[in-house]
Amino acid sequence: MGMYLVSVDGPDWAEREFAPFLDEALAARGLPGCPGPPARIADFEEKLIPRMDDFAGLCARHGVAEFLDATLFVPVDFPGLIEIPVETSFDDVTHVFSAQRLRAAIAPLAAEVGLPAVLPSGPLALTRAIEDPVTFYVALFQQAAGHALRNGCPLTYV
């Protein structure tokens, strides 16, 4: 069994408890709620196989490691992590991070590792195509942020 980062479509979002807690937390910050994702979206799915140690070190050197604690990425712009009281498979709370902030955090990492401008896309495309763990995770989070923003959908780990 592995861990996957996947997109959340409208029906899946409706079945989960995220929305009211997230909207409440966003309202407390003076922000509008998170619109639900469309009913149908292009799937995003990548398996997190390689160890993240070197990637986490790269994030720390750039001062952008905060998103590594997130378990839900949403297409709403806000600073920092939001904690909501929804249990996940990996924690007893959900830590939410902005996809806009994720995209900005990954940009200098992509430049440092020389990430190609064009990357493979589609479910598990990066998992199959990129062998270097650091490059894989930079590509994964860059693609995840872009997917969330293009499709107006959250992403979460399963």
Side-chain angles (χ1 to χ4, degrees):
M1 171 131 189
M3 183 179 356
Y4 294 80
L5 183 59
V6 299
S7 52
V8 180
D9 63 15
D12 190 25
W13 184 256
E15 290 177 13
R16 297 181 184 223
E17 302 171 326
F18 296 130
F21 291 110
L22 179 57
D23 286 348
E24 184 180 308
L26 291 168
R29 292 177 175 217
L31 299 170
C34 181
R40 299 296 312 145
I41 54 170
D43 288 336
F44 183 92
E45 176 183 4
E46 289 293 345
K47 186 172 184 178
L48 284 68
I49 297 174
R51 291 175 36 126
M52 291 184 88
D53 298 349
D54 292 338
F55 174 69
L58 177 65
C59 291
R61 281 197 319 277
H62 283 268
V64 297
E66 183 176 37
F67 76 87
L68 294 173
D69 293 328
T71 50
L72 178 66
F73 299 95
V74 296
V76 177
D77 191 13
F78 57 87
L81 283 170
I82 292 176
E83 183 178 297
I84 57 175
V86 176
E87 189 173 327
T88 70
S89 302
F90 310 102
D91 203 347
D92 57 351
V93 295
T94 298
H95 293 100
V96 187
F97 198 78
S98 164
Q100 286 91 331
R101 303 290 171 125
L102 177 60
R103 181 176 55 188
I106 289 298
L109 309 181
E112 183 171 319
V113 301
L115 197 65
V118 177
L119 293 166
S121 62
L124 302 174
L126 299 174
T127 303
R128 292 187 201 112
I130 301 175
E131 293 182 15
D132 174 67
V134 172
T135 303
F136 169 78
Y137 283 114
V138 171
L140 167 77
F141 287 110
Q142 179 180 280
Q143 294 283 75
H147 183 86
L149 296 171
R150 272 191 314 281
N151 294 288
C153 71
L155 289 107
T156 192
Y157 295 104
V158 295

